[in-house]
Amino acid sequence: MNTSLNISKFHLNRLLRQSLFAGIMSAAALASGWAPGLYGQSPSLGFGAVAQAQEISNAEITSYARSVLGIEPRRVEAYNEIKEMAGGSVPRVVCNETQEINRLSGGVRGIAVNYCQQAKKVIETNGLTVSRFNQLTLLLQANPAVKQQIQAELLRLQQAGNQ
């Protein structure tokens, strides 16, 4: 009985870690240009590069993790919709580059704009600005201790069911 419980916990933790890794990778991609970089085989998103933040509070770690968890399903959905609409080829989308957005076909542009608006709203609903979210993303990439703190918070939130 204990063995099966441990195995179940092991598999659950493994799945959560894999999901967490995907969330962290998405978050890392979010630093590249406020962009649902909805292209290639691996969907990615990004927000414009900004100056690196030096400090992060526990509240910001929670807000950042909640933002990542809130954005990820929307990013995957937008990526899949655009992929289907574009016949498998997903164009690069950068939310803060109006010219790039305007170059997209009408349906794809609508999905991208909707995604960008939703992502911004999720970030702001969780008490961050897009600028601060970007700063935290850069800090996450540069500081292994911060990355570990955010991973732990993502895991905690996933286990608690709080997204």
Side-chain angles (χ1 to χ4, degrees):
M1 188 166 141
N2 283 341
T3 305
S4 65
L5 180 61
N6 288 338
I7 291 171
S8 296
K9 283 183 180 179
F10 170 77
H11 289 302
L12 175 63
N13 285 334
R14 183 174 165 206
L15 288 172
L16 288 172
R17 272 191 286 258
Q18 288 172 344
S19 177
L20 174 66
F21 179 73
I24 290 294
M25 295 313 297
S26 295
L30 287 167
S32 68
W34 197 175
L38 303 168
Y39 52 90
Q41 296 237 338
S42 176
S44 61
L45 305 181
F47 294 87
V50 293
Q52 183 172 323
Q54 297 301 313
E55 298 179 15
I56 182 171
S57 69
N58 289 335
E60 286 180 315
I61 288 171
T62 299
S63 293
Y64 183 87
R66 286 188 177 167
S67 295
V68 168
L69 292 172
I71 291 169
E72 180 61 11
R74 290 166 173 86
R75 182 195 61 78
V76 170
E77 181 181 348
Y79 176 84
N80 289 334
E81 287 178 20
I82 290 173
K83 183 176 180 181
E84 183 178 320
M85 187 175 285
S89 173
V90 180
R92 183 169 184 266
V93 177
V94 181
C95 294
N96 66 346
E97 293 181 12
T98 307
Q99 287 183 329
E100 292 297 319
I101 297 288
N102 289 336
R103 289 184 186 147
L104 299 171
S105 67
V108 170
R109 180 178 37 238
I111 294 168
V113 167
N114 185 47
Y115 164 76
C116 293
Q117 291 170 343
Q118 288 180 353
K120 182 176 187 267
K121 184 176 180 178
V122 167
I123 290 167
E124 291 172 349
T125 298
N126 284 297
L128 297 172
T129 64
V130 171
S131 176
R132 184 60 177 158
F133 182 88
N134 293 338
Q135 290 173 344
L136 297 176
T137 300
L138 292 174
L139 183 60
L140 156 79
Q141 293 171 335
N143 187 326
V146 171
K147 180 178 179 179
Q148 186 176 19
Q149 288 178 299
I150 290 171
Q151 286 175 331
E153 184 64 8
L154 283 165
L155 186 59
R156 185 189 74 76
L157 290 171
Q158 287 178 323
Q159 288 174 336
N162 289 332
Q163 294 185 19

